[in-house]
């Protein structure tokens, strides 16, 4: 049955993209004084919004950025993926569904049996391409002619790198590392219930078992599933 179209996911996607673009535009022109807290605050905010771009693209992969409207859903996913370091949505889409179908097995492109760093670099190798790196290099050189180079590094390049750590740690490594209890068909753990931390850390994606249990829920409804499961246990 085709899901009913709602504007909520679209509006949230527009909000995230708009905030990302507005803050980036402001930050690139912001006088950088490392003796004051503002550059660090802007860096953290921009990192969080970069993570939001990818989470929105991820929702599109599950058809919930614009449920019931396939073309708009794909458009949102493509734009958000491109804004996050020129990721290519059609390439990400099948790999992510392989992750869900073969979670924590040798067929899972996101899984690696090693420690944090080998796993992280294995994760990057799955998704970084030479055309993507070339696009990043061209964009960096264009931006540095219009804005101070330290601003380009601090607010455009570094947040994207930090966001990959954020996404990898909370969305892949932490939930899927190690052995899991028998019967845990998603081979995933979940954060303890703390909605503020869950949002700040990775848009509720630390509630990762809940995501695998109901992948059709958008990120902004995962906390409700967390509450529901916790009430069922207690």
């Amino acid at each position: 049955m085709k899901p009913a179209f709602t504007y909520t996911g679209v509006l949230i996607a527009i909000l995230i993209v708009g905030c990302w673009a507005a803050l980036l535009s402001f930050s690139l022109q912001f006088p950088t004084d490392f003796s004051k807290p503002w550059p660090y605050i802007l860096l953290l905010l921009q990192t969080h919004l970069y993570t939001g771009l990818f989470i929105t693209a991820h929702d599109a992969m599950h058809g919930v950025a614009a449920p019931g409207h396939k073309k708009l859903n794909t458009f949102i996913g493509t734009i958000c993926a491109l804004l996050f370091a020129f990721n290519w949505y059609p390439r990400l889409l099948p790999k992510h569904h392989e992750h869900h179908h073969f979670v924590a097995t040798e067929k899972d492109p996101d899984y690696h049996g090693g420690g944090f760093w080998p796993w992280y670099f294995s994760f990057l190798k799955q998704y970084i391409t030479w055309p993507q790196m070339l696009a990043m290099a061209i964009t960096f050189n264009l931006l540095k002619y219009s804005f101070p180079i330290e601003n380009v590094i601090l607010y455009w390049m570094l947040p994207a790198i930090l966001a990959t750590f954020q996404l990898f740690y909370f969305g892949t490594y932490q939930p899927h590392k190690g052995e899991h209890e028998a019967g845990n068909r998603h081979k995933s753990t979940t954060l303890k219930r703390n909605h503020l931390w869950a949002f700040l850390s990775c848009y509720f994606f630390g509630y990762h078992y809940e995501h695998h249990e109901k992948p059709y829920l958008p990120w902004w409804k995962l906390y409700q599933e967390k509450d529901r499961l916790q009430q069922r246990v207690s």
Side-chain angles (χ1 to χ4, degrees):
M1 183 177 178
K2 186 178 180 180
F5 174 67
T6 64
Y7 284 100
T8 308
V10 178
L11 293 175
I12 290 175
I14 291 172
L15 179 64
I16 289 174
V17 172
C19 288
W20 174 87
L23 186 62
L24 179 61
S25 178
F26 172 79
S27 300
L28 286 173
Q29 303 173 70
F30 186 77
T32 301
D33 183 350
F34 291 106
S35 67
K36 295 181 179 179
W38 303 116
Y40 309 101
I41 293 172
L42 291 174
L43 171 63
L44 291 174
L45 287 174
Q46 194 67 19
T47 298
H48 189 64
L49 289 169
Y50 260 105
T51 300
L53 289 177
F54 196 88
I55 293 294
T56 303
H58 167 270
D59 269 6
M61 295 175 204
H62 289 285
V64 296
H69 198 307
K70 186 175 180 180
K71 289 184 178 180
L72 180 58
N73 185 81
T74 300
F75 176 77
I76 291 171
T78 301
I79 293 298
C80 288
L82 284 171
L83 292 177
F84 191 108
F86 297 100
N87 281 284
W88 184 232
Y89 181 81
R91 187 171 184 272
L92 298 176
L93 181 61
K95 284 183 176 290
H96 185 67
H97 284 285
E98 285 174 11
H99 164 66
H100 275 267
H101 292 150
F102 306 109
V103 60
T105 70
E106 61 181 13
K107 293 183 179 180
D108 180 356
D110 293 356
Y111 184 73
H112 189 280
F116 178 87
W117 288 109
W119 195 336
Y120 176 69
F121 288 117
S122 172
F123 180 81
L124 292 183
K125 282 170 61 180
Q126 289 290 332
Y127 295 102
I128 294 179
T129 65
W130 286 110
Q132 179 184 358
M133 293 178 66
L134 178 61
M136 289 286 286
I138 292 171
T139 304
F140 176 82
N141 280 283
L142 290 174
L143 287 173
K144 75 177 185 180
Y145 285 115
S146 301
F147 305 102
I149 190 169
E150 62 269 20
N151 288 43
V152 176
I153 293 172
L154 191 62
Y155 304 122
W156 179 74
M157 187 171 72
L158 188 55
I161 296 171
L162 293 176
T164 65
F165 279 100
Q166 189 175 0
L167 289 159
F168 170 72
Y169 183 81
F170 290 102
T172 299
Y173 177 74
Q174 185 62 34
H176 293 302
K177 70 176 182 177
E179 298 296 324
H180 299 280
E181 296 177 357
N184 184 339
R185 60 196 179 101
H186 303 306
K187 298 179 182 177
S188 175
T189 57
T190 184
L191 285 178
K192 291 183 179 179
R193 184 184 178 279
N194 185 326
H195 295 334
L196 178 61
W197 172 241
F199 170 71
L200 293 175
S201 60
C202 201
Y203 292 76
F204 301 118
F205 245 66
Y207 296 156
H208 208 74
Y209 182 91
E210 290 78 3
H211 167 60
H212 276 266
E213 181 69 11
K214 292 187 176 179
Y216 52 83
L217 290 179
W219 68 263
W220 40 273
K221 285 189 175 181
L222 283 174
Y223 78 93
Q224 296 174 345
E225 179 64 10
K226 182 70 173 182
D227 287 343
R228 189 189 70 81
L229 290 178
Q230 189 147 322
Q231 289 171 3
R232 191 174 70 178
V233 171
S234 59

